[in-house]
Amino acid sequence: MASTSEHWNNIYQDTEECRLGWYEDHPSTTLELLNQIPGWENTTIFLPGAGTSLLVDYLLDAGARLVLNDLSSVALRLLKERLGDRGVRAEWICQNIAYPLGASVAEVDIWIDRAVLHFLTDEHDIGGCFRNIRTKLKVGGHALFAEFLPNGVSRCADLELHGYSLEELLERLGEDFEPVDHFEHTYIGPDGESRPYIYSLFKRVA
Ligand SMILES: C[S@@+](CC[C@H](N)C(=O)[O-])C[C@H]1O[C@@H](n2cnc3c(N)ncnc32)[C@H](O)[C@@H]1O
């Protein structure tokens, strides 16, 4: 199975939102890190692979400006339908985050990747995603990741995974970034299965 737009479209078409293996009814774990960034409510935040996450509603309601990306047009359509008028304030980008973002996408203050990066298994794709972060994240901005740990879960959404340690995230971000905080979190899915994640926050210092 490959992580194509068709694969993800089928998942979003066929699965009730609260049955998705990454569903959260409140983004409290992400907020533990986000709340360490003073004034995040008045920033522009990029969400790769936003899916239909309720984090989007929370961020918009708090006042943040959002750039919403996903490979799946179905996920973005469902999210747009749910947001209604609130969605007008967001910029929408349907593309593979491994490919370069266009010049029209402005620099952002915060990049939040929850459970997206770990689906990139090809070295070229992983490199492309990190290049987008370095191109679009302002100096002084923050990158927040919630990814599977190495040797944690072997598959999700019927796909192979590339798990991350703090050290690997830092190495791939490069020397312009420094770690702010991180912790491990066990996510309990809709079927009661437990999945170990690493949540981590980095600041771009140069
Ligand atoms: C596990 S879901 C997480 C969704 C959301 N971030 C959340 O926390 O609820 C992974 C999401 O990433 C999207 N995705 C997977 N690979 C992608 C890629 N290469 N570029 C952009 N989006 C991708 C999928 O369509 C899906 O919406």
Side-chain angles (χ1 to χ4, degrees), residues 9 157 192:
N9 280 342

Side-chain angles (χ1 to χ4, degrees), residues 3 8 12 22 48-51 53 69-72 75 95-98 114-116 119-120:
S3 181
W8 288 101
Y12 282 107
W22 49 89
S53 170
N69 157 261
D70 208 286
L71 185 62
S72 163
Q95 72 155 71
N96 188 333
I97 199 58
R114 177 172 178 270
V116 186
F119 288 108
L120 302 179

Side-chain angles (χ1 to χ4, degrees), residues 21-153:
W22 49 89
Y23 175 78
E24 280 186 321
D25 58 7
H26 192 270
S28 43
T29 320
T30 302
L31 292 179
E32 276 186 48
L33 290 176
L34 188 62
N35 283 333
Q36 296 185 36
I37 307 171
W40 67 259
E41 298 88 345
N42 298 313
T43 64
T44 302
I45 303 177
F46 193 102
L47 292 177
T52 53
S53 170
L54 288 161
L55 174 65
V56 173
D57 308 51
Y58 187 93
L59 299 177
L60 279 175
D61 291 346
R65 297 170 297 279
L66 300 188
V67 185
L68 299 170
N69 157 261
D70 208 286
L71 185 62
S72 163
S73 57
V74 174
L76 292 182
R77 177 174 53 76
L78 293 171
L79 181 59
K80 221 174 231 179
E81 283 170 9
R82 189 180 76 221
L83 292 176
D85 289 346
R86 292 178 298 172
V88 176
R89 286 166 39 212
E91 184 178 349
W92 299 80
I93 302 174
C94 189
Q95 72 155 71
N96 188 333
I97 199 58
Y99 300 160
L101 289 163
S104 63
V105 180
E107 285 189 333
V108 298
D109 305 288
I110 302 174
W111 182 282
I112 302 179
D113 182 316
R114 177 172 178 270
V116 186
L117 175 65
H118 59 213
F119 288 108
L120 302 179
T121 53
D122 176 272
E123 194 53 42
H124 188 262
D125 289 344
I126 296 171
C129 180
F130 279 95
R131 255 191 305 285
N132 276 330
I133 297 174
R134 284 192 294 273
T135 308
K136 296 299 180 185
L137 188 66
K138 291 176 189 170
V139 175
H142 291 80
L144 191 163
F145 299 92
E147 314 298 338
F148 287 134
L149 284 157
N151 310 319
V153 180

